[in-house]
Amino acid sequence: MDGKTYTYQSIARAVLDQGIDTMFGLMGDANLFMVDHYVRNCGATFVPVSYEGSAVLMALAYSHVSGKMGVATVTHGPALTNCVTALTEGARGHIPMVLLAGDTPVMTPQNLQNIDQRELVKVTGAGFEQMRSAGTAAHDVAHAFFRARVEKRPIVLNMPADFMWQEAVHETKTFKAFKAPAYVPEGDDLDEAVGMIASARRPIILAGGGAVEARDKLVQLADRLEAPLATTLKAKGLFNDHPFNMDIFGTLSTPAAYEVIAKSDCLVCFGTSLHHFTTDRGALMKGKRIVQVNDTVTEVSKNFHADAALVADAGLTAGNIVYWLDEAEIPASGFTRELDMAALTAHPPARATTAKDGFVNFVHALDRLEEILPQNRILATDGGRFMTEVWCRITVPDPKSFLVTANFGSIGLGLQEALGAGFAAPNRPVVLFTGDGGFMMGGINEFNTAVRMKQDLVVIVCNDSAYGAEHIQFLDRSMDPGLAMFDWPSFADVATALGVKGVTVRSADELEAAIVEIENRTTPLLIELRLDPNDVPRMRI
């Protein structure tokens, strides 16, 4: 090199300046020199993917599991259009990450790959940041990171290719993100909320993904009220060790828990937008007072209009409510004394013998896998009709160890997020449950990445040889489901062909043999559960 500093070098150093030493991506003419410098000169790690959208998904999972910023990079045009679904998934999940996207040279608008990248990004709900010049590259990278943190969504930094070999003067830039919690409300709204809680005889404390950091304060409030605790899907595992943990609230509750929720007279909801899966389309809200606390004003009354709504920090507000309950000497509700928690949280078991020849009973398989999968696992799930039983029956250590790729309703995103989680927590095993359609759509190409990168990954393919949701709809209308059926290749054989272990499970006995393989694994492992498409539980959403 000639001793000069070029823009591609400044961009790579700027990412490292943010404390990020792992980047996911696929190289092209607009980002290859930046990636090369990031690896060879900055000593960082680059994880090459097979498909551009995979890089974004891996970065999203990396952010969620590690708490650090996930970073991905792709080149321009079709590379960015291949990221649309992944960016939408991240934006709707409020997951911060930065995508360094090349752009076609400003001076060659006739470039075949030219597209209005700002407009493309806009429709996904992600943010767009334009790199202004070679001289502002480091500042623009730092500002993209800042925006991702405070806006809680993906930010795409647009990098024109013709900037890369322009000279730059690198200056380390970092912008501190605001961490002060939202205010504690005062006045009539707070008085009204406290009054509803104080008068409740059967209150429940509900925590969503936005209240995970407030766990201890929510437990304090629940104990003060003698109220059970529950979570939305995204906060699954938050109250694992609490004696009055009802687990997931809503359509995924056990029948017994659903009955208790229906009897409740007050729900105190923290960090949740009260999605219609959580409320069972409003059915679980009837006959009770609803107090909603959320630090994001757009999430308050987004899906349901509460009786009292506070735009505030979850932990500070929970503590404040306890203070006023004590000041007014409000007695505890005693609700938890009425509850049989073992019965409340028990999902109906299955018998292995109910499956037809050539198939394994899905619920039995889940119950056995729950018993033997590594306890310190990270759990990732793809989309599909199998997923709700997985969410209910497979536990997680905490919400950060749980990846739900259902923010946009897409299938085919789970394997990529599982890989990102593996890089975020390299000393922990990752378990992915995916359907056959999802694995074929987005998993099979990146399973090769798992093999190349030697990930500690267990992939469980729930293969009913169908697109399950469509199969159900055809049957519900007494129509032939044949168009929703597929004769896939053996996924276990595909795994074996890629150089790792693949196991097919067609019976309870073969399931036990697969369990031995889980315990003895030394490489990524794929287990193919062969399921009867007419004997898979319906989705509970």
Side-chain angles (χ1 to χ4, degrees), residues 166-198:
Q166 292 181 14
E167 288 188 48
V169 176
H170 182 77
E171 182 180 356
T172 299
K173 291 279 187 181
T174 56
F175 299 118
K176 185 177 180 180
F178 307 125
K179 292 185 178 179
Y183 68 92
V184 178
E186 298 178 352
D188 292 344
D189 288 341
L190 177 62
D191 292 344
E192 189 175 9
V194 173
M196 292 177 186
I197 296 167

Short mmCIF file of all heavy atoms in Angstrom, two decimals, residues 166-198:
data_model
loop_
_atom_site.label_atom_id
_atom_site.label_comp_id
_atom_site.label_asym_id
_atom_site.label_seq_id
_atom_site.Cartn_x
_atom_site.Cartn_y
_atom_site.Cartn_z
N GLN A 166 -11.38 6.61 -2.72
CA GLN A 166 -11.06 8.02 -2.48
C GLN A 166 -10.32 8.15 -1.15
O GLN A 166 -10.57 7.40 -0.21
CB GLN A 166 -12.34 8.86 -2.45
CG GLN A 166 -13.05 8.95 -3.80
CD GLN A 166 -14.30 9.81 -3.75
OE1 GLN A 166 -14.51 10.55 -2.80
NE2 GLN A 166 -15.15 9.70 -4.77
N GLU A 167 -9.42 9.11 -1.07
CA GLU A 167 -8.65 9.30 0.16
C GLU A 167 -9.54 9.82 1.28
O GLU A 167 -10.48 10.59 1.05
CB GLU A 167 -7.50 10.28 -0.08
CG GLU A 167 -6.38 9.70 -0.92
CD GLU A 167 -5.18 10.62 -0.98
OE1 GLU A 167 -4.75 11.10 0.10
OE2 GLU A 167 -4.68 10.88 -2.08
N ALA A 168 -9.23 9.37 2.49
CA ALA A 168 -9.99 9.79 3.67
C ALA A 168 -9.03 10.01 4.83
O ALA A 168 -7.94 9.43 4.87
CB ALA A 168 -11.02 8.73 4.04
N VAL A 169 -9.42 10.85 5.74
CA VAL A 169 -8.68 11.03 6.99
C VAL A 169 -9.52 10.39 8.09
O VAL A 169 -10.61 10.90 8.42
CB VAL A 169 -8.44 12.52 7.30
CG1 VAL A 169 -7.74 12.67 8.65
CG2 VAL A 169 -7.62 13.17 6.19
N HIS A 170 -9.06 9.27 8.62
CA HIS A 170 -9.87 8.55 9.60
C HIS A 170 -9.76 9.19 10.98
O HIS A 170 -8.68 9.47 11.48
CB HIS A 170 -9.45 7.08 9.71
CG HIS A 170 -10.30 6.31 10.67
ND1 HIS A 170 -11.57 5.88 10.34
CD2 HIS A 170 -10.08 5.92 11.95
CE1 HIS A 170 -12.09 5.25 11.38
NE2 HIS A 170 -11.21 5.26 12.37
N GLU A 171 -10.91 9.42 11.57
CA GLU A 171 -10.98 9.94 12.93
C GLU A 171 -11.97 9.06 13.71
O GLU A 171 -13.10 8.85 13.27
CB GLU A 171 -11.46 11.38 12.93
CG GLU A 171 -11.51 12.02 14.30
CD GLU A 171 -11.98 13.46 14.26
OE1 GLU A 171 -12.19 13.99 13.15
OE2 GLU A 171 -12.15 14.05 15.35
N THR A 172 -11.53 8.54 14.85
CA THR A 172 -12.39 7.68 15.64
C THR A 172 -13.61 8.44 16.13
O THR A 172 -13.49 9.51 16.74
CB THR A 172 -11.63 7.11 16.85
OG1 THR A 172 -10.52 6.33 16.38
CG2 THR A 172 -12.54 6.23 17.70
N LYS A 173 -14.77 7.89 15.84
CA LYS A 173 -16.03 8.53 16.23
C LYS A 173 -16.93 7.50 16.91
O LYS A 173 -17.15 6.41 16.38
CB LYS A 173 -16.77 9.08 15.00
CG LYS A 173 -16.10 10.26 14.32
CD LYS A 173 -16.41 11.54 15.06
CE LYS A 173 -15.89 12.75 14.28
NZ LYS A 173 -16.17 14.01 14.99
N THR A 174 -17.43 7.83 18.06
CA THR A 174 -18.48 7.05 18.71
C THR A 174 -19.48 8.02 19.31
O THR A 174 -19.10 9.05 19.85
CB THR A 174 -17.92 6.14 19.82
OG1 THR A 174 -17.21 6.93 20.77
CG2 THR A 174 -16.99 5.07 19.26
N PHE A 175 -20.75 7.68 19.19
CA PHE A 175 -21.81 8.52 19.74
C PHE A 175 -22.58 7.72 20.78
O PHE A 175 -23.14 6.66 20.47
CB PHE A 175 -22.75 9.00 18.64
CG PHE A 175 -22.07 9.82 17.59
CD1 PHE A 175 -22.03 9.40 16.27
CD2 PHE A 175 -21.43 11.01 17.92
CE1 PHE A 175 -21.39 10.15 15.30
CE2 PHE A 175 -20.78 11.77 16.96
CZ PHE A 175 -20.77 11.34 15.64
N LYS A 176 -22.58 8.21 21.98
CA LYS A 176 -23.23 7.52 23.09
C LYS A 176 -24.74 7.54 22.90
O LYS A 176 -25.34 8.59 22.68
CB LYS A 176 -22.86 8.18 24.41
CG LYS A 176 -23.39 7.46 25.64
CD LYS A 176 -22.92 8.14 26.91
CE LYS A 176 -23.45 7.41 28.14
NZ LYS A 176 -23.00 8.06 29.40
N ALA A 177 -25.34 6.37 22.97
CA ALA A 177 -26.80 6.29 22.86
C ALA A 177 -27.43 6.64 24.20
O ALA A 177 -26.87 6.37 25.27
CB ALA A 177 -27.21 4.89 22.44
N PHE A 178 -28.58 7.25 24.14
CA PHE A 178 -29.28 7.65 25.35
C PHE A 178 -29.77 6.40 26.09
O PHE A 178 -30.46 5.57 25.51
CB PHE A 178 -30.47 8.54 25.01
CG PHE A 178 -30.11 9.73 24.16
CD1 PHE A 178 -30.75 9.97 22.96
CD2 PHE A 178 -29.10 10.59 24.55
CE1 PHE A 178 -30.42 11.05 22.17
CE2 PHE A 178 -28.76 11.68 23.77
CZ PHE A 178 -29.41 11.91 22.57
N LYS A 179 -29.44 6.29 27.37
CA LYS A 179 -29.85 5.13 28.15
C LYS A 179 -30.75 5.51 29.32
O LYS A 179 -31.17 4.65 30.09
CB LYS A 179 -28.62 4.38 28.67
CG LYS A 179 -27.80 3.71 27.57
CD LYS A 179 -26.67 2.90 28.14
CE LYS A 179 -25.88 2.19 27.04
NZ LYS A 179 -24.75 1.41 27.59
N ALA A 180 -31.02 6.79 29.48
CA ALA A 180 -31.89 7.20 30.57
C ALA A 180 -33.28 6.59 30.38
O ALA A 180 -33.84 6.67 29.29
CB ALA A 180 -32.00 8.72 30.63
N PRO A 181 -33.85 5.96 31.40
CA PRO A 181 -35.17 5.35 31.24
C PRO A 181 -36.25 6.40 31.04
O PRO A 181 -36.08 7.57 31.40
CB PRO A 181 -35.39 4.60 32.57
CG PRO A 181 -34.49 5.30 33.54
CD PRO A 181 -33.30 5.76 32.75
N ALA A 182 -37.34 5.98 30.45
CA ALA A 182 -38.46 6.89 30.24
C ALA A 182 -38.98 7.37 31.59
O ALA A 182 -38.75 6.75 32.63
CB ALA A 182 -39.56 6.18 29.46
N TYR A 183 -39.70 8.44 31.58
CA TYR A 183 -40.13 9.05 32.82
C TYR A 183 -41.16 8.20 33.57
O TYR A 183 -41.82 7.33 33.01
CB TYR A 183 -40.71 10.44 32.54
CG TYR A 183 -42.03 10.43 31.79
CD1 TYR A 183 -43.24 10.42 32.47
CD2 TYR A 183 -42.07 10.43 30.39
CE1 TYR A 183 -44.44 10.41 31.80
CE2 TYR A 183 -43.27 10.41 29.71
CZ TYR A 183 -44.46 10.41 30.42
OH TYR A 183 -45.65 10.40 29.74
N VAL A 184 -41.27 8.47 34.88
CA VAL A 184 -42.31 7.86 35.68
C VAL A 184 -43.49 8.82 35.67
O VAL A 184 -43.35 10.00 36.02
CB VAL A 184 -41.84 7.64 37.13
CG1 VAL A 184 -42.97 7.04 37.97
CG2 VAL A 184 -40.63 6.73 37.15
N PRO A 185 -44.67 8.38 35.24
CA PRO A 185 -45.80 9.31 35.09
C PRO A 185 -46.34 9.79 36.44
O PRO A 185 -46.21 9.12 37.46
CB PRO A 185 -46.84 8.48 34.34
CG PRO A 185 -46.53 7.08 34.74
CD PRO A 185 -45.03 7.02 34.88
N GLU A 186 -46.94 10.93 36.40
CA GLU A 186 -47.61 11.49 37.56
C GLU A 186 -48.99 11.97 37.13
O GLU A 186 -49.29 12.04 35.95
CB GLU A 186 -46.80 12.66 38.14
CG GLU A 186 -45.42 12.27 38.63
CD GLU A 186 -44.63 13.47 39.14
OE1 GLU A 186 -45.11 14.60 38.95
OE2 GLU A 186 -43.55 13.27 39.71
N GLY A 187 -49.82 12.31 38.10
CA GLY A 187 -51.11 12.90 37.77
C GLY A 187 -52.23 11.89 37.65
O GLY A 187 -52.17 10.78 38.17
N ASP A 188 -53.26 12.28 36.93
CA ASP A 188 -54.51 11.53 36.89
C ASP A 188 -54.34 10.13 36.29
O ASP A 188 -54.96 9.17 36.77
CB ASP A 188 -55.56 12.30 36.09
CG ASP A 188 -56.00 13.58 36.79
OD1 ASP A 188 -55.74 13.70 38.01
OD2 ASP A 188 -56.59 14.44 36.12
N ASP A 189 -53.52 10.02 35.24
CA ASP A 189 -53.36 8.70 34.60
C ASP A 189 -52.76 7.70 35.58
O ASP A 189 -53.20 6.54 35.65
CB ASP A 189 -52.48 8.81 33.35
CG ASP A 189 -53.19 9.51 32.20
OD1 ASP A 189 -54.43 9.58 32.24
OD2 ASP A 189 -52.51 9.99 31.28
N LEU A 190 -51.73 8.12 36.30
CA LEU A 190 -51.11 7.23 37.29
C LEU A 190 -52.09 6.90 38.40
O LEU A 190 -52.21 5.74 38.82
CB LEU A 190 -49.86 7.87 37.86
CG LEU A 190 -49.16 7.06 38.97
CD1 LEU A 190 -48.69 5.73 38.45
CD2 LEU A 190 -48.00 7.84 39.57
N ASP A 191 -52.80 7.91 38.89
CA ASP A 191 -53.78 7.66 39.96
C ASP A 191 -54.83 6.65 39.52
O ASP A 191 -55.22 5.75 40.29
CB ASP A 191 -54.46 8.98 40.35
CG ASP A 191 -53.50 9.95 41.04
OD1 ASP A 191 -52.43 9.50 41.47
OD2 ASP A 191 -53.83 11.14 41.13
N GLU A 192 -55.27 6.79 38.28
CA GLU A 192 -56.29 5.88 37.77
C GLU A 192 -55.75 4.46 37.69
O GLU A 192 -56.42 3.49 38.06
CB GLU A 192 -56.77 6.36 36.40
CG GLU A 192 -57.97 5.61 35.87
CD GLU A 192 -58.50 6.19 34.57
OE1 GLU A 192 -57.84 7.08 34.00
OE2 GLU A 192 -59.58 5.75 34.13
N ALA A 193 -54.51 4.32 37.19
CA ALA A 193 -53.90 2.99 37.07
C ALA A 193 -53.71 2.35 38.44
O ALA A 193 -54.06 1.17 38.65
CB ALA A 193 -52.57 3.10 36.34
N VAL A 194 -53.18 3.10 39.40
CA VAL A 194 -52.97 2.56 40.74
C VAL A 194 -54.30 2.18 41.38
O VAL A 194 -54.42 1.15 42.07
CB VAL A 194 -52.19 3.56 41.61
CG1 VAL A 194 -52.11 3.08 43.06
CG2 VAL A 194 -50.79 3.78 41.06
N GLY A 195 -55.32 2.99 41.14
CA GLY A 195 -56.64 2.68 41.69
C GLY A 195 -57.18 1.36 41.17
O GLY A 195 -57.77 0.57 41.91
N MET A 196 -57.02 1.13 39.87
CA MET A 196 -57.49 -0.13 39.28
C MET A 196 -56.74 -1.32 39.87
O MET A 196 -57.34 -2.37 40.18
CB MET A 196 -57.28 -0.11 37.77
CG MET A 196 -58.16 0.88 37.04
SD MET A 196 -57.77 0.90 35.26
CE MET A 196 -58.80 2.26 34.72
N ILE A 197 -55.44 -1.16 40.05
CA ILE A 197 -54.62 -2.26 40.59
C ILE A 197 -54.97 -2.50 42.05
O ILE A 197 -55.09 -3.65 42.50
CB ILE A 197 -53.13 -1.93 40.40
CG1 ILE A 197 -52.79 -1.84 38.91
CG2 ILE A 197 -52.26 -2.97 41.10
CD1 ILE A 197 -51.44 -1.22 38.63
N ALA A 198 -55.14 -1.44 42.81
CA ALA A 198 -55.42 -1.56 44.24
C ALA A 198 -56.76 -2.25 44.50
O ALA A 198 -56.92 -2.98 45.49
CB ALA A 198 -55.41 -0.18 44.89
#
